[in-house]
Amino acid sequence: MFNDILHSNPTYFYGAIFTLAFSAVILSVPSVIYTSLKYGLFDKNDLYRKNHKRNISRLGGLAIVGSFTVSILLFSSIINFKEANFVIASCIILAALGLKDDVYGTNTSTKFILQIVVAFILVFFGAFRLTSLYGVLNIGDMPPLWGSLFSIALIIFLNNAFNLIDGIDGLAGGIGILASLVFGILFASMGQIPYAFIAFALAGAIGGFLKYNWFPAKIFMGDTGALIIGLISAALAIKFIELNKFTGKNHPAFYSAPAIAVAILIVPIFDSLRVFCIRILKGTSPFKGDRNHIHHRLERLGLKPNWIVLASLALNVVILVATISLQRLGNFVLIFLIIGICAIFNGVLSLSLHRKSKG
């Protein structure tokens, strides 16, 4: 019966998996907050990089990953989606890493090694691996080894990119839910039910969490949540690109898939690349934290956290709509278009900050 409904009208299942994940987080977060209060599990105020002035739990990611994995387990059994096992295994390992970091702290080498392990599982066992870049960076089809190594590097990069933008109430969650909803809609339109399930489950989990994380936040997702959102977003991006690979036998549902994937995740990608480049040019470590992220700069203009999130979402939506609308122009043109829009945004922001400092 379930299979008949699934293949005749999968929309019901998309709504069900979103609702299940959403409800599970809504119901579980109060318990996480209570436990944090009881045992003093709080983010210790870092006055250099943090803005909150009261103790707030960083364990909200537990609700996100728990809700997401349970939802995927329930629905993957209906469609016999075996790759879900590797997704869940990766999430559990990464969640354990994030939890330890949120509560006790973790050294950089341990975090990096475990992220490599998680990416290895997804790439070599879950088949979340790129085989071509469609001419982006002048790279076409890639040998399996190089495609695997590039995919591992991409997953690790996006893991940390979402972690880096998690500095303002609701920002990582807002960008995460936009990305997962868009991936869900795109996969659903392609008839790729398993990946649409993953995307909508993540969207539901983040949606429930945003109720408590919107400014002023009652709880943070911490590394546990940010790393999971980055991991699943990277996996979905890779699979979206691969399923839209243009070959003689396969006519893609969407053209310029790499450019569209970049557009969906442009805020964490742009912010991370920008701060890494600036730190390197200044002769400092690209991994040393500072207050030079986009959300910090918008904050210096006087914007409140909720408006910073909306401004970031607006930038993301503008780039995404433009990229999908012009998808037949090809990856080369679209990547330059995306870079151009980001450069204009950054230029306007820099000019505004300069004028404010002079005023």
Side-chain angles (χ1 to χ4, degrees):
M1 182 184 72
F2 282 123
N3 280 319
D4 292 338
I5 298 174
L6 178 62
H7 291 97
S8 62
N9 198 340
T11 305
Y12 292 123
F13 280 83
Y14 299 149
I17 197 169
F18 179 93
T19 303
L20 174 63
F22 180 91
S23 302
V25 174
I26 288 287
L27 295 173
S28 60
V29 166
S31 297
V32 175
I33 295 175
Y34 172 79
T35 303
S36 298
L37 284 170
K38 184 175 181 180
Y39 295 102
L41 303 175
F42 296 112
D43 176 16
K44 305 304 180 183
N45 292 348
D46 179 351
L47 298 180
Y48 177 58
R49 297 178 58 199
K50 305 293 183 182
N51 300 307
H52 54 285
K53 298 179 181 178
R54 56 195 175 91
N55 286 327
I56 300 178
S57 172
R58 287 171 51 90
L59 303 183
L62 288 175
I64 294 176
V65 69
S67 168
F68 172 76
T69 53
V70 168
S71 300
I72 293 299
L73 278 171
L74 288 175
F75 283 84
S76 64
S77 62
I78 297 174
I79 58 175
N80 194 28
F81 181 49
K82 295 181 180 179
E83 285 140 322
N85 295 329
F86 303 112
V87 174
I88 292 169
S90 299
C91 286
I92 292 173
I93 295 171
L94 203 58
L97 168 65
L99 178 61
K100 183 179 183 300
D101 194 39
D102 290 333
V103 177
Y104 299 110
T106 306
N107 62 59
T108 304
S109 59
T110 300
K111 292 174 69 173
F112 187 64
I113 290 171
L114 284 178
Q115 286 185 41
I116 291 176
V117 171
V118 166
F120 185 92
I121 292 172
L122 278 182
V123 169
F124 287 97
F125 295 100
F128 290 91
R129 177 174 60 249
L130 289 174
T131 59
S132 174
L133 283 187
Y134 300 81
V136 177
L137 302 176
N138 202 29
I139 300 173
D141 288 341
M142 295 183 289
L145 177 60
W146 289 111
S148 299
L149 292 176
F150 183 84
S151 300
I152 289 173
L154 178 62
I155 291 171
I156 293 172
F157 171 75
L158 285 172
N159 266 349
N160 292 285
F162 268 94
N163 206 13
L164 289 174
I165 66 169
D166 186 28
I168 290 289
D169 296 353
L171 181 56
I175 298 299
I177 195 172
L178 173 66
S180 52
L181 280 175
V182 171
F183 276 127
I185 292 169
L186 296 181
F187 281 123
S189 69
M190 294 163 57
Q192 294 292 337
I193 294 174
Y195 305 112
F197 273 178
I198 293 174
F200 285 123
L202 182 62
I206 299 172
F209 179 74
L210 278 176
K211 177 182 185 299
Y212 302 96
N213 186 237
W214 194 256
F215 177 75
K218 299 179 179 66
I219 191 171
F220 299 139
M221 66 173 64
D223 282 14
T224 309
L227 290 174
I228 293 300
I229 294 174
L231 178 75
I232 302 305
S233 297
L236 292 174
I238 289 171
K239 192 57 68 171
F240 176 75
I241 294 171
E242 281 300 294
L243 290 173
N244 285 287
K245 185 176 181 180
F246 185 83
T247 64
K249 297 180 180 179
N250 177 49
H251 294 282
F254 295 93
Y255 292 86
S256 306
I260 294 176
V262 170
I264 293 172
L265 301 170
I266 188 58
V267 171
I269 291 174
F270 170 51
D271 184 58
S272 299
L273 291 177
R274 179 186 161 277
V275 295
F276 284 168
C277 290
I278 291 174
R279 291 170 187 172
I280 291 171
L281 290 173
K282 288 183 177 180
T284 60
S285 169
F287 304 105
K288 183 180 179 180
D290 56 32
R291 290 184 60 84
N292 196 29
H293 291 279
I294 294 173
H295 53 269
H296 292 135
R297 305 182 81 209
L298 289 169
E299 186 181 41
R300 288 199 289 273
L301 282 179
L303 271 66
K304 297 294 184 183
N306 51 345
W307 287 106
I308 293 173
V309 176
L310 293 175
S312 301
L313 287 171
L315 172 66
N316 203 325
V317 170
V318 167
I319 292 175
L320 178 58
V321 170
T323 304
I324 292 179
S325 300
L326 302 172
Q327 60 183 278
R328 289 184 177 271
L329 292 180
N331 289 299
F332 184 81
V333 173
L334 291 174
I335 292 295
F336 271 94
L337 173 66
I338 293 170
I339 293 173
I341 295 174
C342 290
I344 292 171
F345 177 84
N346 188 63
V348 171
L349 183 53
S350 297
L351 182 61
S352 300
L353 285 169
H354 179 72
R355 287 178 175 175
K356 185 174 182 179
S357 65
K358 294 295 183 182

